């Protein structure tokens, strides 16, 4: 057995690996009770996006996990509102309430880095689900 070939490979595996920190922030875009019946209107959604963008800009996260999102349009609006930072929509669900057959509130992931792989999966026989992204 030639130990000269194996030994350097073992040293390489034992070498310490450094990783850069990642800042992750979760944000809920659901309007408060005070919003009343206009809580899901387009104008009100835009105000929620603006409010979220102003707060998220101060936090400067690398990844933003969203819940209670209206859909892809809202995700793209938020990504635009976060400029000059560049965020991409890594994943955004399109869940439907299995009982009402209507679009439900969605979950999404925005990221400064491009996702290698992403998907969303609804819960079985219940509204909602989850989003996943490998970044």
């Amino acid at each position: 057995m030639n130990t000269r070939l194996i030994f350097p490979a073992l040293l390489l595996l034992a070498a310490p690996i450094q990783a850069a920190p990642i800042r992750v922030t979760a944000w809920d875009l659901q309007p408060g009770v005070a919003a009343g019946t206009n809580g899901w209107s387009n104008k009100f959604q835009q105000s929620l996006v603006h409010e979220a963008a102003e707060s998220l800009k101060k936090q400067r996260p690398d990844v933003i996990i969203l819940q209670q999102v209206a859909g892809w349009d809202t995700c793209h609006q938020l990504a635009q509102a976060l400029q000059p930072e560049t965020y991409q929509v890594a994943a955004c669900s399109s869940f439907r309430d299995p009982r009402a057959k209507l679009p439900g509130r969605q979950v999404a992931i925005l990221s400064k880095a491009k996702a290698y792989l992403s998907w969303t999966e609804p819960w079985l026989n219940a509204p909602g689900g989850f989003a996943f992204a490998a970044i």
Side-chain angles (χ1 to χ4, degrees):
M1 183 162 120
N2 188 345
T3 56
R4 285 186 285 177
L5 292 177
I6 295 172
F7 187 71
L10 292 175
L11 283 179
L12 201 88
L13 292 174
I17 298 173
Q18 296 290 328
I22 296 175
R23 294 179 58 97
V24 179
T25 300
W27 196 269
D28 189 335
L29 280 173
Q30 181 173 352
V33 176
T37 57
N38 293 329
W40 302 118
S41 73
N42 192 29
K43 185 176 181 179
F44 193 77
Q45 281 294 310
Q46 289 176 354
S47 71
L48 291 174
V49 166
H50 177 73
E51 178 185 321
E54 291 305 310
S55 183
L56 289 167
K57 281 181 182 181
K58 295 173 189 171
Q59 297 177 35
R60 300 182 53 138
D62 298 304
V63 177
I64 303 169
I65 300 170
L66 300 170
Q67 61 183 6
Q68 301 297 325
V69 180
W72 275 96
D73 289 342
T74 303
C75 291
H76 287 291
Q77 289 171 6
L78 181 56
Q80 291 294 315
L82 289 167
Q83 289 182 351
E85 298 289 343
T86 302
Y87 286 89
Q88 301 173 27
V89 180
C92 184
S93 65
S94 57
F95 303 138
R96 294 195 167 276
D97 184 334
R99 296 169 296 215
K101 305 293 184 210
L102 298 172
R105 303 312 286 176
Q106 307 305 321
V107 294
I109 302 171
L110 274 58
S111 173
K112 287 183 178 178
K114 183 176 171 111
Y116 294 102
L117 142 79
S118 66
W119 76 82
T120 62
E121 188 76 27
W123 302 128
L124 295 177
N125 301 316
F130 68 91
F132 169 85
I135 300 168

